[in-house]
Structures are given as structure tokens and as C-alpha cells.
Amino acid sequence: MMRSIRWRLVLAGGLAIALALALSGMGLAVLFDRHVARVAAADLRNRALALAAMVEPRGASLRAPPEDPLYDQPFSGHYWQVSLGEETRRSRSLWDYALPLEGRPLPPGQSRVLNLPGPRGEPLLAVEQSLAVGQGAGALPLRIVVAEDRSRLALAKQGFLGDLLPYLSLLGLALLLASWVQITIGLRPLAQVGARVAGLVAGTRPRMGRDLPTEVTPLANQIDSLLDARDQELERARHRAANLAHGFKTPLQALLGDAAQLRGRGETELARSIETIATEMRRHVDRELARARIQTAGPASGAVPAEIAGKLIGVLRRTPAGARLDWQLDAAPGLRARIDPGDLTEAMGALMENAMRHARSRVQMTVRAEAPRLVIAIRDDGPGVAEAELASLTRRGLSLDPSGQGQGIGLAMVADITDAAQGALSLQNAQPGFLAELRFDLMP
């Protein structure tokens, strides 16, 4: 799985989404905490200003505070403390505890937010409001502090996070799904490239083509360039092999002529030796000529065995050996094999010539589909082959023709053609007769 680009991207995207959501949750929690603290401070500031009504309008003293159950219950978490000059009053909730205030009082009219310890050591959020009672030098400083337990703010934060977590989870799933869709769409060109490469291997496409996304076009162009270079090199190699083989044929023919002259002079042993060597070399040359004709490039349109068989039968019937035989063809029209038409003609021609030489009266041919392959069967009614020799029929230079006309390269050439087209060749006795079958991939 880790070798898959898709899963690597999904894993990286999932981790990035999880990290982003975690950071977002932490950031939202911090922002919520600050917002709640600001709202609480604003409420405490309003309460502090309301406590300023405790000051007697005509005197520098404090009167009874307004009734509020929040401040009457001991250690309720809501506290206030008012100082006017030397006089200080505290809420009942503080009991006998005094809020510790450090530093000098603020200038009149200003306020500040404080963090103070509570009567039981709990952290408090407090607001100190400074006012002045009276005018001039005789004005008394009024210092009002209103506080509440911070645990209430923490509970609000926890509630917020509890409500936020399901939505973050749903958002994460939605983002992961969107990431999967994005990755699928983004990797689609790679799948298209893979399909075209498979088409090149199967022979259904001659080249990658240029109608691909911009990002993968350079890769496709490089593949096409490599295929062009390969085809050119193969073509040059075939030409060199053919030229070399043709270059040997004339000297070999001259050697056979010299051997005939030696035989006429009575030097039979020397003539036989030269003929044996020359014949073996000619078999090598003929085999290389046949191999040079094999098309190794993938077929673009495939071959139609029925049409090829009909043409070959027409040619073989005009020969003396073929004219005496009953040629039977049972082929489904329109079936295409994944092989070059020229190569299939070469392979079927060699098998049909072999069947013609050994048949007594009849040669049967069938072309049928056995998905995913196409089967071409050629059967004669001859004597067949010894079972011990079946495995070596495609060996180079082996000829079982009793007339001595065969050169032992036909079946070997058929095997080469079949291998090049990724097909299969099977040879077996049919009792009576001999059966050769070619199997190639079907084309749509």
C-alpha cells in the first residue's frame, strides 16, 4: 500500500487535515477563552459601576449594599470589595477574606483587569474600578473590585470544545473526502498513461499520442521517441541480417557447384563433406532470412486468419502436391488475431506446406475463438510423427521429410514468429494424422 502514490497522498493529506483541524480547534479555544474573558470583564465592570451607588450622596461614607443572592452566599464564587478612604466593605460571600490588592490605586475614572486568589485559593477574574468622591483636595478615592471564579469560564470553554468537536470531525471527514476526490481526479492522467502503455504492450496502439494533459505530455513524448528509435534500430538490424544472409547465399551456391564438380571427378568423400557443410550453412542463412522478416512491432489492426487461409489454399492448390489434396476450411469470418498479417501468413504458410507434404488425401483447417484467444488448427491425414520426436520438431535444422526436400527451418521459424507475437504453438499426433495449433490473443 505504501508503494501507491494514491495512498501516500491520502495519508499525507489526512495527516495535514488532522493537524490543521487540531491547530484550528486550539486556536478557536484560545479565541473563545479570550472572548469569554472580555465579556465577563465587561459584566464585572458594569457591576462595579453599580456598586458605586453605595456611596452616600451627601457624605463620605458607604451605605448598605444592594441585595444580590450571588454575593450573599459564602464562597459562591462571586465577590466584591469596596474601599472609600479608610472604610472598606466586602460582600458576604467573601466571609472574612479580603481581596489582596497591590500597588497604588488607579487614577479616578480608570479600570483594570486583575487575576487574584480567592478565599479558598481558587483563581479569580477581577475588575478594579477607580473613582473619586468629592472635589478638589478633599476628594476621597473610591476603589471598587468585583471578581468571579475562573472555573466558570473554564466550564464554558469545555462546553464550547465539546460542542465544537463533532463539527470538527464532520469537517475533517468532508475535507478527507474532498481530498480523495481531488487526488483521484489529479491521478487520472497517470491511469490514462498506464492504459496507453498497456495498449502499446498489447499492440492496440502504435504510439502514446499527444492528446494527454500537459504535465504528462513530456513523458509520453519520451516514450514515443524511444519507440521510434527502437523501430529504426530494429529495421536497421533486420536489413543488416538480410544483407548478410543474402551475401552468403552466392558463395554457398558456388561451394555446392564446386562439390558437384569434385563428385564428377570421383572425389566423392570430399564432395560429400563440402555439401554437408554448405547445406548446414544454407540452413542457417535461410533461417536468418526468415527471422529478419518477423515483425516485432505491435500490430495496429491485427490479422484475419480466415482471409489469409483462403489465399494460401488458393496458392497451394496450384502446386502439383496441393492439387491432389482435399482442402477443407472452417473459419468464422471477422475474427482477428493480435499478430502482424505478414507474420501470420509466414507461419500459416509453413504449417500448411508441412501438412501438404505429409497428407495422404486431405488437409483440414479451422479458425475458432476460445476467449481470450483465437485458435488456428491445421490437420493432415498423414502418418504423423514418432512420439519421441514431437518435442524436437521446432529444433533448428531438423527435417523429418522422407523426400529430403525439407530444410528443417519451417517449424523453427513458426516457433520464432509465435514467440514474437506472444502466442503459443502446439504440435501433436491426431491419430490419424498430425495436428498443429496456433493460439494468439483475440482482437475486438
Side-chain angles (χ1 to χ4, degrees):
M1 181 180 295
M2 291 309 299
R3 299 179 66 180
S4 169
I5 295 178
R6 180 189 303 274
W7 284 108
R8 288 183 182 181
L9 292 176
V10 169
L11 181 60
L15 292 176
I17 290 172
L19 179 60
L21 290 178
L23 293 176
S24 299
M26 293 172 60
L28 289 174
V30 171
L31 292 177
F32 179 81
D33 188 49
R34 292 180 178 178
H35 173 72
V36 170
R38 283 195 296 268
V39 172
D43 180 66
L44 293 176
R45 191 174 289 108
N46 291 333
R47 290 178 179 271
L49 293 175
L51 288 172
M54 293 174 60
V55 178
E56 288 287 348
R58 297 181 180 180
S61 62
L62 296 174
R63 60 186 177 183
E67 294 185 0
D68 192 334
L70 289 176
Y71 299 101
D72 291 340
Q73 181 182 352
F75 312 121
S76 64
H78 296 273
Y79 312 106
W80 58 260
Q81 181 174 292
V82 179
S83 298
L84 178 62
E86 298 297 329
E87 183 182 1
T88 300
R89 289 193 181 186
R90 293 185 294 273
S91 63
R92 183 188 177 101
S93 57
L94 281 173
W95 202 246
D96 59 351
Y97 180 78
L99 294 175
L101 298 178
E102 298 179 357
R104 301 181 63 183
L106 294 172
Q110 295 188 9
S111 64
R112 61 184 173 184
V113 178
L114 301 173
N115 292 309
L116 301 176
R120 293 185 294 185
E122 72 274 21
L124 300 179
L125 174 66
V127 170
E128 178 186 358
Q129 179 69 51
S130 179
L131 298 172
V133 178
Q135 296 181 353
L140 294 177
L142 178 63
R143 196 174 188 182
I144 304 173
V145 179
V146 183
E148 70 175 44
D149 194 344
R150 275 191 173 273
S151 62
R152 301 176 184 275
L153 305 182
L155 289 175
K157 178 181 176 181
Q158 291 178 4
F160 171 76
L161 291 178
D163 294 338
L164 181 64
L165 186 59
Y167 292 99
L168 288 179
S169 301
L170 291 176
L171 179 60
L173 291 176
L175 291 176
L176 193 59
L177 179 61
S179 176
W180 176 270
V181 173
Q182 181 182 12
I183 291 171
T184 300
I185 296 175
L187 292 181
R188 189 170 295 169
L190 294 182
Q192 190 176 1
V193 170
R196 295 200 179 188
V197 171
L200 291 176
V201 175
T204 56
R205 291 188 64 88
R207 291 293 184 269
M208 293 287 292
R210 299 180 180 275
D211 54 332
L212 289 168
T214 305
E215 289 76 10
V216 296
T217 298
L219 174 62
N221 293 338
Q222 289 295 326
I223 294 175
D224 288 345
S225 298
L226 288 174
L227 292 175
D228 292 339
R230 186 205 64 170
D231 289 347
Q232 293 174 4
E233 185 61 30
L234 288 174
E235 189 66 25
R236 286 194 295 267
R238 283 195 290 267
H239 288 166
R240 288 195 298 268
N243 293 338
L244 182 62
H246 281 294
F248 273 111
K249 293 192 72 173
T250 300
L252 289 175
Q253 193 64 37
L255 280 176
L256 291 174
D258 292 342
Q261 292 181 12
L262 290 173
R263 186 180 295 278
R265 296 175 187 175
E267 299 181 22
T268 306
E269 189 66 28
L270 181 58
R272 184 182 299 110
S273 177
I274 294 176
E275 287 173 349
T276 301
I277 295 174
T279 301
E280 183 66 21
M281 292 181 66
R282 187 171 64 179
R283 285 175 177 171
H284 281 285
V285 170
D286 290 341
R287 178 174 173 79
E288 291 307 316
L289 281 173
R291 289 172 64 93
R293 289 195 296 267
I294 296 177
Q295 302 295 320
T296 57
S301 58
V304 182
E307 297 178 0
I308 294 174
K311 293 178 182 179
L312 289 173
I313 290 175
V315 172
L316 294 175
R317 274 177 174 166
R318 292 197 292 269
T319 64
R324 63 179 178 83
L325 299 176
D326 178 20
W327 295 88
Q328 298 178 0
L329 175 62
D330 181 13
L335 293 178
R336 290 183 177 273
R338 198 178 300 283
I339 184 175
D340 182 80
D343 289 349
L344 185 59
T345 302
E346 194 82 27
M348 290 177 62
L351 292 177
M352 292 171 68
E353 288 179 4
N354 186 70
M356 180 183 67
R357 285 198 300 270
H358 297 88
R360 291 190 177 97
S361 61
R362 183 177 66 253
V363 175
Q364 295 176 311
M365 292 191 60
T366 59
V367 179
R368 65 184 185 275
E370 293 182 0
R373 294 214 143 187
L374 180 144
V375 181
I376 304 169
I378 302 173
R379 177 177 178 177
D380 62 66
D381 60 352
V385 178
E387 292 294 331
E389 296 173 342
L390 277 175
S392 58
L393 283 179
T394 56
R395 193 177 66 199
R396 182 177 57 190
L398 176 65
S399 176
L400 302 179
D401 188 355
S403 66
Q405 297 177 359
Q407 298 181 6
I409 66 170
L411 293 180
M413 180 190 66
V414 174
D416 289 341
I417 292 174
T418 305
D419 289 342
Q422 299 180 353
L425 169 65
S426 64
L427 304 173
Q428 56 185 313
N429 287 314
Q431 296 178 356
F434 186 78
L435 174 63
E437 286 187 345
L438 292 170
R439 296 176 182 269
F440 301 102
D441 289 340
L442 267 171
M443 290 191 68

